[in-house]
mmCIF file of all heavy atoms in Angstrom:
data_model
loop_
_atom_site.group_PDB
_atom_site.id
_atom_site.type_symbol
_atom_site.label_atom_id
_atom_site.label_comp_id
_atom_site.label_asym_id
_atom_site.label_seq_id
_atom_site.Cartn_x
_atom_site.Cartn_y
_atom_site.Cartn_z
ATOM 1 N N ALA P 1 0.813 -1.221 0.000
ATOM 2 C CA ALA P 1 0.000 0.000 0.000
ATOM 3 C C ALA P 1 0.844 1.268 0.000
ATOM 4 O O ALA P 1 0.447 2.277 -0.595
ATOM 5 C CB ALA P 1 -0.945 0.002 1.195
ATOM 6 N N LYS P 2 1.992 1.240 0.630
ATOM 7 C CA LYS P 2 2.839 2.439 0.715
ATOM 8 C C LYS P 2 3.744 2.623 -0.490
ATOM 9 O O LYS P 2 4.434 3.635 -0.598
ATOM 10 C CB LYS P 2 3.683 2.389 1.987
ATOM 11 C CG LYS P 2 2.854 2.514 3.238
ATOM 12 C CD LYS P 2 3.731 2.479 4.473
ATOM 13 C CE LYS P 2 2.879 2.593 5.724
ATOM 14 N NZ LYS P 2 3.673 2.455 6.938
ATOM 15 N N THR P 3 3.766 1.654 -1.380
ATOM 16 C CA THR P 3 4.617 1.736 -2.563
ATOM 17 C C THR P 3 3.845 2.361 -3.720
ATOM 18 O O THR P 3 2.728 1.941 -4.020
ATOM 19 C CB THR P 3 5.115 0.333 -2.966
ATOM 20 O OG1 THR P 3 5.855 -0.218 -1.877
ATOM 21 C CG2 THR P 3 5.997 0.395 -4.200
ATOM 22 N N THR P 4 4.438 3.361 -4.341
ATOM 23 C CA THR P 4 3.802 4.027 -5.480
ATOM 24 C C THR P 4 4.466 3.601 -6.787
ATOM 25 O O THR P 4 5.605 3.109 -6.791
ATOM 26 C CB THR P 4 3.914 5.559 -5.350
ATOM 27 O OG1 THR P 4 5.298 5.925 -5.458
ATOM 28 C CG2 THR P 4 3.327 6.059 -4.033
ATOM 29 N N ILE P 5 3.756 3.817 -7.850
ATOM 30 C CA ILE P 5 4.322 3.540 -9.175
ATOM 31 C C ILE P 5 5.547 4.420 -9.404
ATOM 32 O O ILE P 5 6.542 3.967 -9.977
ATOM 33 C CB ILE P 5 3.248 3.744 -10.269
ATOM 34 C CG1 ILE P 5 2.203 2.631 -10.157
ATOM 35 C CG2 ILE P 5 3.879 3.770 -11.662
ATOM 36 C CD1 ILE P 5 0.997 2.803 -11.047
ATOM 37 N N GLU P 6 5.510 5.656 -8.933
ATOM 38 C CA GLU P 6 6.652 6.553 -9.088
ATOM 39 C C GLU P 6 7.890 5.996 -8.396
ATOM 40 O O GLU P 6 9.000 6.061 -8.924
ATOM 41 C CB GLU P 6 6.322 7.950 -8.554
ATOM 42 C CG GLU P 6 5.355 8.728 -9.415
ATOM 43 C CD GLU P 6 3.887 8.242 -9.336
ATOM 44 O OE1 GLU P 6 3.510 7.558 -8.344
ATOM 45 O OE2 GLU P 6 3.132 8.512 -10.278
ATOM 46 N N GLN P 7 7.713 5.435 -7.201
ATOM 47 C CA GLN P 7 8.848 4.843 -6.489
ATOM 48 C C GLN P 7 9.401 3.638 -7.255
ATOM 49 O O GLN P 7 10.617 3.450 -7.333
ATOM 50 C CB GLN P 7 8.426 4.410 -5.083
ATOM 51 C CG GLN P 7 8.130 5.553 -4.154
ATOM 52 C CD GLN P 7 7.477 5.078 -2.862
ATOM 53 O OE1 GLN P 7 6.737 4.097 -2.839
ATOM 54 N NE2 GLN P 7 7.759 5.795 -1.770
ATOM 55 N N ILE P 8 8.513 2.852 -7.799
ATOM 56 C CA ILE P 8 8.932 1.674 -8.560
ATOM 57 C C ILE P 8 9.733 2.098 -9.792
ATOM 58 O O ILE P 8 10.813 1.561 -10.057
ATOM 59 C CB ILE P 8 7.716 0.817 -8.969
ATOM 60 C CG1 ILE P 8 7.035 0.237 -7.731
ATOM 61 C CG2 ILE P 8 8.135 -0.305 -9.931
ATOM 62 C CD1 ILE P 8 5.660 -0.374 -7.990
ATOM 63 N N THR P 9 9.212 3.067 -10.534
ATOM 64 C CA THR P 9 9.911 3.489 -11.755
ATOM 65 C C THR P 9 11.247 4.149 -11.430
ATOM 66 O O THR P 9 12.225 3.949 -12.145
ATOM 67 C CB THR P 9 9.042 4.436 -12.607
ATOM 68 O OG1 THR P 9 8.680 5.578 -11.832
ATOM 69 C CG2 THR P 9 7.801 3.729 -13.117
ATOM 70 N N ARG P 10 11.283 4.896 -10.351
ATOM 71 C CA ARG P 10 12.539 5.545 -9.944
ATOM 72 C C ARG P 10 13.592 4.484 -9.622
ATOM 73 O O ARG P 10 14.724 4.550 -10.087
ATOM 74 C CB ARG P 10 12.309 6.460 -8.747
ATOM 75 C CG ARG P 10 13.475 7.358 -8.426
ATOM 76 C CD ARG P 10 13.192 8.368 -7.307
ATOM 77 N NE ARG P 10 11.858 8.950 -7.340
ATOM 78 C CZ ARG P 10 10.942 8.797 -6.368
ATOM 79 N NH1 ARG P 10 11.219 8.111 -5.279
ATOM 80 N NH2 ARG P 10 9.755 9.353 -6.477
ATOM 81 N N ARG P 11 13.190 3.486 -8.842
ATOM 82 C CA ARG P 11 14.142 2.437 -8.466
ATOM 83 C C ARG P 11 14.575 1.631 -9.689
ATOM 84 O O ARG P 11 15.733 1.230 -9.776
ATOM 85 C CB ARG P 11 13.548 1.509 -7.423
ATOM 86 C CG ARG P 11 14.578 0.442 -7.049
ATOM 87 C CD ARG P 11 14.453 -0.195 -5.738
ATOM 88 N NE ARG P 11 14.468 0.657 -4.591
ATOM 89 C CZ ARG P 11 14.360 0.193 -3.356
ATOM 90 N NH1 ARG P 11 14.263 -1.109 -3.141
ATOM 91 N NH2 ARG P 11 14.353 0.999 -2.320
ATOM 92 N N ALA P 12 13.672 1.401 -10.610
ATOM 93 C CA ALA P 12 14.004 0.627 -11.817
ATOM 94 C C ALA P 12 14.762 1.456 -12.844
ATOM 95 O O ALA P 12 15.351 0.896 -13.772
ATOM 96 C CB ALA P 12 12.730 0.072 -12.443
ATOM 97 N N GLY P 13 14.735 2.771 -12.684
ATOM 98 C CA GLY P 13 15.435 3.637 -13.634
ATOM 99 C C GLY P 13 14.727 3.768 -14.964
ATOM 100 O O GLY P 13 15.365 3.885 -16.005
ATOM 101 N N VAL P 14 13.394 3.735 -14.919
ATOM 102 C CA VAL P 14 12.605 3.885 -16.141
ATOM 103 C C VAL P 14 11.536 4.950 -15.910
ATOM 104 O O VAL P 14 11.285 5.358 -14.787
ATOM 105 C CB VAL P 14 11.938 2.553 -16.571
ATOM 106 C CG1 VAL P 14 12.993 1.486 -16.842
ATOM 107 C CG2 VAL P 14 10.931 2.071 -15.546
ATOM 108 N N SER P 15 10.899 5.361 -16.981
ATOM 109 C CA SER P 15 9.864 6.390 -16.878
ATOM 110 C C SER P 15 8.511 5.778 -16.510
ATOM 111 O O SER P 15 8.294 4.569 -16.639
ATOM 112 C CB SER P 15 9.731 7.133 -18.207
ATOM 113 O OG SER P 15 9.122 6.287 -19.171
ATOM 114 N N ARG P 16 7.610 6.633 -16.086
ATOM 115 C CA ARG P 16 6.236 6.210 -15.781
ATOM 116 C C ARG P 16 5.579 5.632 -17.038
ATOM 117 O O ARG P 16 4.858 4.635 -16.969
ATOM 118 C CB ARG P 16 5.451 7.415 -15.252
ATOM 119 C CG ARG P 16 4.056 7.094 -14.803
ATOM 120 C CD ARG P 16 3.399 8.335 -14.169
ATOM 121 N NE ARG P 16 1.993 8.149 -13.972
ATOM 122 C CZ ARG P 16 1.450 7.565 -12.910
ATOM 123 N NH1 ARG P 16 2.225 7.115 -11.946
ATOM 124 N NH2 ARG P 16 0.148 7.426 -12.795
ATOM 125 N N ASN P 17 5.833 6.245 -18.190
ATOM 126 C CA ASN P 17 5.286 5.720 -19.446
ATOM 127 C C ASN P 17 5.793 4.309 -19.722
ATOM 128 O O ASN P 17 5.041 3.452 -20.201
ATOM 129 C CB ASN P 17 5.628 6.645 -20.614
ATOM 130 C CG ASN P 17 4.828 7.922 -20.591
ATOM 131 O OD1 ASN P 17 3.789 8.007 -19.942
ATOM 132 N ND2 ASN P 17 5.315 8.930 -21.281
ATOM 133 N N THR P 18 7.056 4.077 -19.430
ATOM 134 C CA THR P 18 7.614 2.741 -19.626
ATOM 135 C C THR P 18 6.885 1.737 -18.746
ATOM 136 O O THR P 18 6.564 0.627 -19.182
ATOM 137 C CB THR P 18 9.126 2.733 -19.330
ATOM 138 O OG1 THR P 18 9.774 3.627 -20.238
ATOM 139 C CG2 THR P 18 9.716 1.343 -19.475
ATOM 140 N N PHE P 19 6.612 2.129 -17.509
ATOM 141 C CA PHE P 19 5.872 1.250 -16.604
ATOM 142 C C PHE P 19 4.574 0.795 -17.269
ATOM 143 O O PHE P 19 4.265 -0.395 -17.315
ATOM 144 C CB PHE P 19 5.555 1.964 -15.276
ATOM 145 C CG PHE P 19 4.732 1.137 -14.343
ATOM 146 C CD1 PHE P 19 5.342 0.333 -13.401
ATOM 147 C CD2 PHE P 19 3.332 1.143 -14.410
ATOM 148 C CE1 PHE P 19 4.585 -0.448 -12.541
ATOM 149 C CE2 PHE P 19 2.577 0.364 -13.560
ATOM 150 C CZ PHE P 19 3.202 -0.441 -12.620
ATOM 151 N N PHE P 20 3.811 1.749 -17.791
ATOM 152 C CA PHE P 20 2.502 1.423 -18.357
ATOM 153 C C PHE P 20 2.601 0.720 -19.709
ATOM 154 O O PHE P 20 1.610 0.182 -20.194
ATOM 155 C CB PHE P 20 1.619 2.672 -18.416
ATOM 156 C CG PHE P 20 1.162 3.092 -17.048
ATOM 157 C CD1 PHE P 20 1.663 4.237 -16.450
ATOM 158 C CD2 PHE P 20 0.253 2.325 -16.337
ATOM 159 C CE1 PHE P 20 1.257 4.617 -15.175
ATOM 160 C CE2 PHE P 20 -0.155 2.682 -15.062
ATOM 161 C CZ PHE P 20 0.349 3.830 -14.480
ATOM 162 N N ASN P 21 3.778 0.678 -20.296
ATOM 163 C CA ASN P 21 3.980 -0.146 -21.488
ATOM 164 C C ASN P 21 3.972 -1.631 -21.131
ATOM 165 O O ASN P 21 3.692 -2.472 -21.972
ATOM 166 C CB ASN P 21 5.305 0.191 -22.178
ATOM 167 C CG ASN P 21 5.248 1.481 -22.946
ATOM 168 O OD1 ASN P 21 4.178 1.949 -23.329
ATOM 169 N ND2 ASN P 21 6.396 2.085 -23.161
ATOM 170 N N TYR P 22 4.314 -1.933 -19.884
ATOM 171 C CA TYR P 22 4.425 -3.321 -19.445
ATOM 172 C C TYR P 22 3.292 -3.789 -18.552
ATOM 173 O O TYR P 22 2.924 -4.958 -18.580
ATOM 174 C CB TYR P 22 5.750 -3.531 -18.695
ATOM 175 C CG TYR P 22 6.951 -3.239 -19.546
ATOM 176 C CD1 TYR P 22 7.735 -2.122 -19.313
ATOM 177 C CD2 TYR P 22 7.293 -4.071 -20.600
ATOM 178 C CE1 TYR P 22 8.838 -1.846 -20.096
ATOM 179 C CE2 TYR P 22 8.395 -3.805 -21.392
ATOM 180 C CZ TYR P 22 9.163 -2.692 -21.134
ATOM 181 O OH TYR P 22 10.238 -2.423 -21.919
ATOM 182 N N PHE P 23 2.787 -2.889 -17.720
ATOM 183 C CA PHE P 23 1.810 -3.276 -16.704
ATOM 184 C C PHE P 23 0.658 -2.287 -16.651
ATOM 185 O O PHE P 23 0.891 -1.083 -16.615
ATOM 186 C CB PHE P 23 2.478 -3.343 -15.318
ATOM 187 C CG PHE P 23 3.635 -4.289 -15.265
ATOM 188 C CD1 PHE P 23 4.934 -3.823 -15.321
ATOM 189 C CD2 PHE P 23 3.426 -5.656 -15.183
ATOM 190 C CE1 PHE P 23 6.008 -4.693 -15.288
ATOM 191 C CE2 PHE P 23 4.495 -6.536 -15.152
ATOM 192 C CZ PHE P 23 5.791 -6.047 -15.205
ATOM 193 N N PRO P 24 -0.582 -2.789 -16.597
ATOM 194 C CA PRO P 24 -1.730 -1.885 -16.481
ATOM 195 C C PRO P 24 -1.774 -1.152 -15.138
ATOM 196 O O PRO P 24 -2.267 -0.040 -15.042
ATOM 197 C CB PRO P 24 -2.939 -2.800 -16.624
ATOM 198 C CG PRO P 24 -2.426 -4.051 -17.248
ATOM 199 C CD PRO P 24 -0.986 -4.169 -16.840
ATOM 200 N N GLY P 25 -1.248 -1.779 -14.088
ATOM 201 C CA GLY P 25 -1.275 -1.157 -12.770
ATOM 202 C C GLY P 25 -0.311 -1.839 -11.821
ATOM 203 O O GLY P 25 0.295 -2.871 -12.149
ATOM 204 N N LYS P 26 -0.199 -1.290 -10.649
ATOM 205 C CA LYS P 26 0.729 -1.796 -9.640
ATOM 206 C C LYS P 26 0.415 -3.246 -9.253
ATOM 207 O O LYS P 26 1.326 -4.057 -9.088
ATOM 208 C CB LYS P 26 0.662 -0.867 -8.414
ATOM 209 C CG LYS P 26 1.572 -1.236 -7.291
ATOM 210 C CD LYS P 26 1.578 -0.183 -6.189
ATOM 211 C CE LYS P 26 0.341 -0.259 -5.324
ATOM 212 N NZ LYS P 26 0.465 0.531 -4.078
ATOM 213 N N ALA P 27 -0.839 -3.590 -9.123
ATOM 214 C CA ALA P 27 -1.217 -4.940 -8.704
ATOM 215 C C ALA P 27 -0.732 -6.011 -9.675
ATOM 216 O O ALA P 27 -0.475 -7.151 -9.280
ATOM 217 C CB ALA P 27 -2.728 -5.041 -8.542
ATOM 218 N N ASP P 28 -0.590 -5.662 -10.935
ATOM 219 C CA ASP P 28 -0.161 -6.641 -11.932
ATOM 220 C C ASP P 28 1.255 -7.138 -11.682
ATOM 221 O O ASP P 28 1.623 -8.224 -12.119
ATOM 222 C CB ASP P 28 -0.301 -6.052 -13.334
ATOM 223 C CG ASP P 28 -1.744 -5.753 -13.646
ATOM 224 O OD1 ASP P 28 -2.523 -6.705 -13.811
ATOM 225 O OD2 ASP P 28 -2.103 -4.563 -13.683
ATOM 226 N N LEU P 29 2.046 -6.350 -10.959
ATOM 227 C CA LEU P 29 3.400 -6.771 -10.627
ATOM 228 C C LEU P 29 3.423 -7.928 -9.635
ATOM 229 O O LEU P 29 4.412 -8.644 -9.522
ATOM 230 C CB LEU P 29 4.197 -5.591 -10.058
ATOM 231 C CG LEU P 29 4.598 -4.571 -11.113
ATOM 232 C CD1 LEU P 29 4.867 -3.215 -10.480
ATOM 233 C CD2 LEU P 29 5.802 -5.057 -11.886
ATOM 234 N N LEU P 30 2.342 -8.129 -8.928
ATOM 235 C CA LEU P 30 2.257 -9.236 -7.976
ATOM 236 C C LEU P 30 2.070 -10.583 -8.664
ATOM 237 O O LEU P 30 2.310 -11.621 -8.080
ATOM 238 C CB LEU P 30 1.077 -9.020 -7.015
ATOM 239 C CG LEU P 30 1.122 -7.796 -6.123
ATOM 240 C CD1 LEU P 30 -0.223 -7.617 -5.430
ATOM 241 C CD2 LEU P 30 2.246 -7.918 -5.109
ATOM 242 N N TRP P 31 1.611 -10.547 -9.896
ATOM 243 C CA TRP P 31 1.127 -11.757 -10.550
ATOM 244 C C TRP P 31 1.839 -12.098 -11.843
ATOM 245 O O TRP P 31 1.297 -12.829 -12.669
ATOM 246 C CB TRP P 31 -0.366 -11.605 -10.820
ATOM 247 C CG TRP P 31 -1.116 -11.358 -9.566
ATOM 248 C CD1 TRP P 31 -1.614 -10.171 -9.101
ATOM 249 C CD2 TRP P 31 -1.402 -12.325 -8.560
ATOM 250 N NE1 TRP P 31 -2.207 -10.353 -7.888
ATOM 251 C CE2 TRP P 31 -2.091 -11.662 -7.526
ATOM 252 C CE3 TRP P 31 -1.158 -13.687 -8.444
ATOM 253 C CZ2 TRP P 31 -2.530 -12.327 -6.384
ATOM 254 C CZ3 TRP P 31 -1.601 -14.341 -7.309
ATOM 255 C CH2 TRP P 31 -2.280 -13.659 -6.301
ATOM 256 N N VAL P 32 3.035 -11.620 -12.046
ATOM 257 C CA VAL P 32 3.744 -11.826 -13.311
ATOM 258 C C VAL P 32 3.843 -13.317 -13.652
ATOM 259 O O VAL P 32 3.548 -13.724 -14.779
ATOM 260 C CB VAL P 32 5.139 -11.164 -13.268
ATOM 261 C CG1 VAL P 32 5.972 -11.531 -14.478
ATOM 262 C CG2 VAL P 32 4.997 -9.647 -13.155
ATOM 263 N N GLU P 33 4.253 -14.127 -12.683
ATOM 264 C CA GLU P 33 4.430 -15.554 -12.948
ATOM 265 C C GLU P 33 3.104 -16.237 -13.285
ATOM 266 O O GLU P 33 3.027 -17.051 -14.195
ATOM 267 C CB GLU P 33 5.084 -16.257 -11.745
ATOM 268 C CG GLU P 33 6.537 -15.882 -11.547
ATOM 269 C CD GLU P 33 6.718 -14.630 -10.684
ATOM 270 O OE1 GLU P 33 5.698 -14.017 -10.261
ATOM 271 O OE2 GLU P 33 7.865 -14.252 -10.438
ATOM 272 N N LEU P 34 2.055 -15.892 -12.548
ATOM 273 C CA LEU P 34 0.762 -16.530 -12.825
ATOM 274 C C LEU P 34 0.161 -16.052 -14.141
ATOM 275 O O LEU P 34 -0.475 -16.834 -14.854
ATOM 276 C CB LEU P 34 -0.207 -16.307 -11.669
ATOM 277 C CG LEU P 34 0.143 -17.060 -10.387
ATOM 278 C CD1 LEU P 34 -0.907 -16.816 -9.308
ATOM 279 C CD2 LEU P 34 0.304 -18.543 -10.632
ATOM 280 N N ASP P 35 0.379 -14.798 -14.478
ATOM 281 C CA ASP P 35 -0.098 -14.314 -15.774
ATOM 282 C C ASP P 35 0.638 -15.028 -16.908
ATOM 283 O O ASP P 35 0.031 -15.412 -17.911
ATOM 284 C CB ASP P 35 0.062 -12.799 -15.888
ATOM 285 C CG ASP P 35 -0.916 -12.039 -15.001
ATOM 286 O OD1 ASP P 35 -1.917 -12.639 -14.540
ATOM 287 O OD2 ASP P 35 -0.687 -10.836 -14.768
ATOM 288 N N ALA P 36 1.931 -15.234 -16.730
ATOM 289 C CA ALA P 36 2.706 -15.959 -17.743
ATOM 290 C C ALA P 36 2.245 -17.410 -17.841
ATOM 291 O O ALA P 36 2.232 -17.993 -18.935
ATOM 292 C CB ALA P 36 4.191 -15.889 -17.415
ATOM 293 N N SER P 37 1.822 -17.986 -16.717
ATOM 294 C CA SER P 37 1.374 -19.379 -16.739
ATOM 295 C C SER P 37 0.105 -19.562 -17.568
ATOM 296 O O SER P 37 -0.132 -20.633 -18.116
ATOM 297 C CB SER P 37 1.178 -19.916 -15.319
ATOM 298 O OG SER P 37 -0.006 -19.419 -14.736
ATOM 299 N N ARG P 38 -0.707 -18.513 -17.673
ATOM 300 C CA ARG P 38 -1.919 -18.609 -18.495
ATOM 301 C C ARG P 38 -1.537 -18.806 -19.963
ATOM 302 O O ARG P 38 -2.178 -19.587 -20.679
ATOM 303 C CB ARG P 38 -2.805 -17.389 -18.306
ATOM 304 C CG ARG P 38 -4.170 -17.562 -18.953
ATOM 305 C CD ARG P 38 -5.150 -16.463 -18.602
ATOM 306 N NE ARG P 38 -4.689 -15.155 -19.014
ATOM 307 C CZ ARG P 38 -4.367 -14.156 -18.194
ATOM 308 N NH1 ARG P 38 -4.458 -14.297 -16.889
ATOM 309 N NH2 ARG P 38 -3.965 -13.004 -18.656
ATOM 310 N N ALA P 39 -0.498 -18.138 -20.419
ATOM 311 C CA ALA P 39 -0.040 -18.311 -21.804
ATOM 312 C C ALA P 39 0.508 -19.725 -22.003
ATOM 313 O O ALA P 39 0.262 -20.347 -23.048
ATOM 314 C CB ALA P 39 1.017 -17.264 -22.151
ATOM 315 N N VAL P 40 1.236 -20.246 -21.022
ATOM 316 C CA VAL P 40 1.757 -21.612 -21.107
ATOM 317 C C VAL P 40 0.592 -22.602 -21.180
ATOM 318 O O VAL P 40 0.597 -23.529 -21.999
ATOM 319 C CB VAL P 40 2.681 -21.931 -19.912
ATOM 320 C CG1 VAL P 40 3.110 -23.396 -19.921
ATOM 321 C CG2 VAL P 40 3.905 -21.019 -19.917
ATOM 322 N N LEU P 41 -0.416 -22.405 -20.350
ATOM 323 C CA LEU P 41 -1.592 -23.276 -20.349
ATOM 324 C C LEU P 41 -2.305 -23.225 -21.699
ATOM 325 O O LEU P 41 -2.656 -24.267 -22.274
ATOM 326 C CB LEU P 41 -2.551 -22.875 -19.226
ATOM 327 C CG LEU P 41 -3.863 -23.643 -19.123
ATOM 328 C CD1 LEU P 41 -3.621 -25.124 -18.858
ATOM 329 C CD2 LEU P 41 -4.745 -23.040 -18.034
ATOM 330 N N THR P 42 -2.491 -22.038 -22.214
ATOM 331 C CA THR P 42 -3.152 -21.868 -23.509
ATOM 332 C C THR P 42 -2.396 -22.613 -24.604
ATOM 333 O O THR P 42 -2.993 -23.342 -25.409
ATOM 334 C CB THR P 42 -3.261 -20.365 -23.866
ATOM 335 O OG1 THR P 42 -4.015 -19.712 -22.840
ATOM 336 C CG2 THR P 42 -3.930 -20.144 -25.211
ATOM 337 N N ASP P 43 -1.081 -22.437 -24.637
ATOM 338 C CA ASP P 43 -0.255 -23.097 -25.659
ATOM 339 C C ASP P 43 -0.275 -24.617 -25.501
ATOM 340 O O ASP P 43 -0.341 -25.346 -26.494
ATOM 341 C CB ASP P 43 1.182 -22.586 -25.599
ATOM 342 C CG ASP P 43 1.315 -21.130 -26.022
ATOM 343 O OD1 ASP P 43 0.360 -20.580 -26.628
ATOM 344 O OD2 ASP P 43 2.377 -20.529 -25.738
ATOM 345 N N ALA P 44 -0.219 -25.092 -24.261
ATOM 346 C CA ALA P 44 -0.223 -26.539 -24.024
ATOM 347 C C ALA P 44 -1.549 -27.167 -24.461
ATOM 348 O O ALA P 44 -1.563 -28.249 -25.047
ATOM 349 C CB ALA P 44 0.056 -26.835 -22.554
ATOM 350 N N LEU P 45 -2.639 -26.479 -24.196
ATOM 351 C CA LEU P 45 -3.944 -27.001 -24.632
ATOM 352 C C LEU P 45 -4.059 -26.972 -26.155
ATOM 353 O O LEU P 45 -4.578 -27.914 -26.759
ATOM 354 C CB LEU P 45 -5.083 -26.209 -23.988
ATOM 355 C CG LEU P 45 -5.287 -26.477 -22.495
ATOM 356 C CD1 LEU P 45 -6.266 -25.468 -21.900
ATOM 357 C CD2 LEU P 45 -5.773 -27.903 -22.261
ATOM 358 N N ALA P 46 -3.560 -25.909 -26.760
ATOM 359 C CA ALA P 46 -3.609 -25.807 -28.226
ATOM 360 C C ALA P 46 -2.778 -26.900 -28.891
ATOM 361 O O ALA P 46 -3.104 -27.348 -29.997
ATOM 362 C CB ALA P 46 -3.126 -24.427 -28.670
#
């Protein structure tokens, strides 16, 4: 809750626009592995 997108981008050394090129919001950073697993599941079923 105390972490802002600005703090994240500052620490990563990228711009706020760059952040939104990769993630719709802060919460999406919690789920990178599970979001990637959906693509693996889709490909495996296909």
Side-chain angles (χ1 to χ4, degrees):
K2 293 181 180 175
T3 300
T4 66
I5 290 172
E6 288 74 20
Q7 291 170 328
I8 295 168
T9 58
R10 191 175 321 117
R11 181 156 303 180
V14 300
S15 72
R16 184 175 168 85
N17 287 341
T18 299
F19 177 92
F20 288 109
N21 284 338
Y22 300 109
F23 302 101
K26 181 173 77 167
D28 297 290
L29 286 157
L30 298 170
W31 302 103
V32 172
E33 290 88 358
L34 290 182
D35 289 343
S37 76
R38 190 171 60 246
V40 174
L41 177 62
T42 301
D43 292 345
L45 288 170

